[in-house]
Amino acid sequence: MRGIRRLYHLLAPRAHSAIMMGALFCTLCVKLYHSVRYGMTGEYLSWIWADIAVILGLEVVLTLCCARWPKRWMIRTVTIIAAVICTWSVLNGGWVVRTGTQVLPGTLLPLFRDPLNALGIVGDNLLKHPLAAIALLGPSAIALTFFFFVLVRPQKPRNTDKIFTRRLLISLALVLVAIPAGGASARSRNRSSSQGVTSGLRYNSQLKALATMVFPDDSPLTRADFENAQRQLPYAGDITLPMNPEQAPMNLVLVVLEGVQYRYTSLEPDGQAHTPYLKQLAQEGITYSQMRTVLTHTSKALFSLHTGRYPSGSQDVVEAVPAPRPFMSLPTVLEQQGYRTAFFQSAKGDFESRPTLVDNLGFQKYFSRDDLNDPNSHVSYLAADEFAMLPHINQWLTQSDQPFFATLLCSVTHDPYQVPEWYGELPDETTERYQQVIEYTDGYFKAIDQTLKDQGLRENTILCIVGDHGEAFGEHGKMGHDQIGFEEVLRIPWVISAPHLQQPQRITEPVSSVDVTPTLLALMGYNTTPASFDGIDTLKGVPADRRVYFSCWNPGGPAGYIEGHTKYVYTPSTALASVFDLSQDPWEQTPLDISEIQASQIAKATIDWKKQSLLKPQQSLKGQTVVYNQWRCRWAGRDPRSKYTGDR
């Protein structure tokens, strides 16, 4: 106890300096950990120069303020400023450990839109990474206690002029060394970092956060773009699609996979997870080897998969803001022909106001984890046991002789990659858990198929399995999906098993999420030409010069398009463009040399596409409604929220 008191009395007169050094130490340690974890130690020095310059430079400014005005109010003020900087460093450190990227205000915006779900995600991740949580939160708790003691009883610095001058000179010397070193590092960065693999760690997070709040130029979309957005979508009934009179009605089951990377399935020769049933369906039906998600986020992907149109290229979920009536979509087109439609998801229902998105898509029924009324079936903060859904799905399938369309959205493959207890023990390694949940989901495919066979429905049912987006596990030094534009996130599985197919097909041209609806409608006998979908009927052939657009959910993240085997990427946060030949470089290790003119053309094409994709909300700025009799939805502008009101 005496030692703690001595340490406190030593640090309290220079509390802001101690806190700032803690911020710098946290940042340096986290970036070192990340560089070692992914074999990027050669990049480490280039990552930390900006942090040294900014944090030490701020410490010098705060120290001079205390020297100029050695009053209690000034000491409290600089201590609070130092604490804010340190808190951001801890938050940024956790973000780097979790995702491999640095945090920005725009990155955190979705957390504030849905704080209850966000807290659940954060808490679950802390529990799943206890060592990292202790390393970050333990010292933070000590620093917080120290901070409050200093605020209550601030102590004036006791430095002599000689000591004070020496401290300032040392700090300034380090800053003066760091500034040119950081500048040289930035100039020498190679163009493989255009997607932010390494360049995204070179900036100081505090300075970058402040800059984006004052000058939000990381996003290619401005406030004026949103205000001037005029894009509107056709509603149900606005367009009638002719149908082949000789085509008998076919049932349709669409299974949407959550976060399944193509290379982790048996569709890839060296797939890292065992999915024999998916492979069997692919061998007997239609499979796509170059399928990409249009936008790396579930809500956006669901919209495209069901409408055949691009989602709004924005970080909001405007697609879930209640529309005056449902959009023209796969379920509403089929409903006009007497189909029953239902959307089943094993995830909790209120995430990103899913009920209103499903209602906008025109589904007659919505069923989520909340409707299971069985907490024992829950898996982690988001998911539920997929197999617990089967009795409810089966009951709906057999309740009428009408043809049906059902979408089944999986969730166990979502972070934290945890199977139900009955399936087996959880591996320790994250990628091993990911392989396990994918193998578990393959068993779910088989169970769905068997359910259809048991009810005598399989011979008249198209079974389509498609991903919403992939998932990254450090292939390029990043984890997750929302901020990544590499193939581990963009490339997804798509398999169609249809009883009336003459022979198996393997389509190797690049296709997109927006192609699912027109392809399935064409397969069911519809003429899709009048709809003017953004997607195409892939069974009629894919034009060689077609651009398959894609984007990250994060506004400053990579976006671009694919033509043939060539991938064009523009990253707003770095203002850099790059090109990859995927036929020769499928792992995107070496970008091709391009001219400045080519780079500007890529940037312009990408930004123009994102601007043109912006949706204009078609309702009042604020309001509330009830959907599916048990979900109360409120919205403000482009931000919807839903709450379950039924019996649990």
Side-chain angles (χ1 to χ4, degrees), residues 259-273 275 278 282 287-291 434 438 469-471 487-495 506-507:
V260 172
Q261 185 186 140
Y262 185 87
R263 289 171 178 150
Y264 272 82
T265 71
S266 298
L267 300 176
E268 187 83 341
D270 58 347
Q272 299 180 56
T275 57
L278 181 63
T287 181
Y288 297 80
S289 62
Q290 298 296 326
M291 167 70 161
Y434 186 62
I438 291 177
H469 53 75
E471 197 77 2
E487 291 294 276
E488 53 264 29
V489 170
L490 295 177
R491 194 175 172 208
I492 52 177
W494 183 15
V495 173
R506 180 177 175 84
I507 296 177

Side-chain angles (χ1 to χ4, degrees), residues 368-640:
S368 67
R369 184 178 85 170
D370 308 77
D371 298 298
L372 286 173
N373 293 319
D374 180 14
N376 293 319
S377 67
H378 294 187
V379 181
S380 75
Y381 64 89
L382 178 72
D385 186 353
E386 316 285 5
F387 288 82
M389 303 288 291
L390 287 175
H392 303 276
I393 295 170
N394 184 57
Q395 180 184 18
W396 182 82
L397 291 176
T398 57
Q399 72 183 19
S400 170
D401 293 332
Q402 288 177 269
F404 60 79
F405 165 46
T407 289
L408 316 179
L409 174 61
C410 300
S411 63
V412 171
T413 45
H414 190 282
D415 168 84
Y417 323 119
Q418 180 178 331
V419 295
E421 290 184 3
W422 63 264
Y423 189 79
E425 294 185 3
L426 297 178
D428 294 329
E429 293 296 325
T430 300
T431 53
E432 292 178 0
R433 292 202 305 271
Y434 186 62
Q435 293 174 27
Q436 184 186 53
V437 296
I438 291 177
E439 291 165 4
Y440 158 91
T441 303
D442 189 70
Y444 180 56
F445 303 153
K446 186 175 182 179
I448 293 168
D449 208 2
Q450 189 61 49
T451 296
L452 293 169
K453 291 175 180 177
D454 291 343
Q455 300 299 333
L457 299 169
R458 187 64 176 97
E459 291 304 313
N460 195 38
T461 301
I462 297 171
L463 178 60
C464 175
I465 300 174
V466 65
D468 60 350
H469 53 75
E471 197 77 2
F473 293 93
E475 292 88 347
H476 290 87
K478 293 183 177 183
M479 290 75 68
H481 54 268
D482 283 336
Q483 304 181 71
I484 303 170
F486 288 107
E487 291 294 276
E488 53 264 29
V489 170
L490 295 177
R491 194 175 172 208
I492 52 177
W494 183 15
V495 173
I496 301 175
S497 174
H500 62 291
L501 288 177
Q502 298 299 317
Q503 60 184 8
Q505 297 183 50
R506 180 177 175 84
I507 296 177
T508 59
E509 292 83 7
V511 294
S512 167
S513 305
V514 295
D515 299 330
V516 171
T517 283
T519 298
L520 290 176
L521 287 175
L523 194 61
M524 298 174 77
Y526 286 88
N527 177 1
T528 61
T529 302
S532 299
F533 289 118
D534 293 326
I536 63 171
D537 171 12
T538 58
L539 302 181
K540 290 184 177 179
V542 179
D545 60 348
R546 185 198 183 199
R547 289 184 176 180
V548 173
Y549 283 95
F550 62 85
S551 174
C552 291
W553 191 44
N554 187 285
Y561 51 92
I562 295 171
E563 286 186 25
H565 296 293
T566 307
K567 181 176 181 180
Y568 303 84
V569 187
Y570 173 68
T571 306
S573 62
T574 60
L576 293 175
S578 55
V579 179
F580 295 93
D581 181 353
L582 298 179
S583 64
Q584 302 297 319
D585 183 23
W587 293 97
E588 299 166 280
Q589 298 297 309
T590 308
L592 303 176
D593 291 330
I594 59 174
S595 66
E596 290 187 9
I597 294 177
Q598 287 176 297
S600 63
Q601 291 172 341
I602 295 168
K604 183 179 185 305
T606 301
I607 294 171
D608 287 348
W609 169 69
K610 293 200 71 169
K611 289 182 178 180
Q612 293 166 8
S613 75
L614 291 178
L615 286 173
K616 178 183 180 180
Q618 296 298 300
Q619 69 291 307
S620 58
L621 291 178
K622 292 184 178 181
Q624 61 178 319
T625 187
V626 175
V627 297
Y628 300 109
N629 297 320
Q630 54 190 10
W631 290 97
R632 180 180 293 112
C633 172
R634 301 175 186 270
W635 74 89
R638 304 170 71 92
D639 181 19

Side-chain angles (χ1 to χ4, degrees), residues 224-238:
D225 293 326
F226 284 90
E227 293 174 348
N228 297 328
Q230 297 298 318
R231 182 180 174 222
Q232 300 181 34
L233 301 179
Y235 293 114
D238 287 353

Side-chain angles (χ1 to χ4, degrees), residues 104-255:
L104 289 172
T107 310
L108 298 178
L109 185 59
L111 304 183
F112 292 102
R113 288 197 181 110
D114 196 356
L116 292 179
N117 279 317
L119 288 174
I121 296 172
V122 172
D124 194 84
N125 275 285
L126 289 175
L127 292 174
K128 293 295 186 299
H129 302 85
L131 293 180
I134 293 171
L136 286 171
L137 299 182
S140 299
I142 297 172
L144 188 63
T145 303
F146 172 71
F147 166 72
F148 281 115
F149 269 104
V150 171
L151 281 189
V152 173
R153 292 186 176 181
Q155 298 184 27
K156 297 180 180 180
R158 296 192 294 267
N159 292 331
T160 65
D161 290 343
K162 185 176 181 181
I163 295 175
F164 177 75
T165 303
R166 185 187 303 164
R167 283 182 57 240
L168 282 182
L169 289 176
I170 292 173
S171 296
L172 285 172
L174 290 172
V175 171
L176 292 174
V177 170
I179 291 174
S185 171
R187 287 190 296 272
S188 65
R189 63 190 181 192
N190 59 56
R191 287 167 55 200
S192 67
S193 62
S194 62
Q195 286 203 46
V197 180
T198 58
S199 60
L201 290 170
R202 287 192 175 109
Y203 62 74
N204 170 259
S205 64
Q206 288 91 348
L207 188 61
K208 185 75 170 180
L210 184 61
T212 56
M213 292 173 67
V214 179
F215 305 105
D217 57 356
D218 269 359
S219 173
L221 305 177
T222 65
R223 179 178 296 181
D225 293 326
F226 284 90
E227 293 174 348
N228 297 328
Q230 297 298 318
R231 182 180 174 222
Q232 300 181 34
L233 301 179
Y235 293 114
D238 287 353
I239 302 173
T240 301
L241 299 184
M243 188 176 181
N244 182 354
E246 298 179 0
Q247 176 80 48
M250 297 285 293
N251 301 316
L252 174 61
V253 174
L254 173 61
V255 182

Side-chain angles (χ1 to χ4, degrees), residues 20-43:
M20 293 291 283
M21 291 307 103
L24 181 59
F25 180 75
C26 172
T27 302
L28 298 184
C29 287
V30 164
K31 290 189 176 182
L32 177 62
Y33 168 76
H34 186 71
S35 70
V36 172
R37 178 169 53 166
Y38 292 111
M40 296 181 174
T41 52
E43 297 276 353

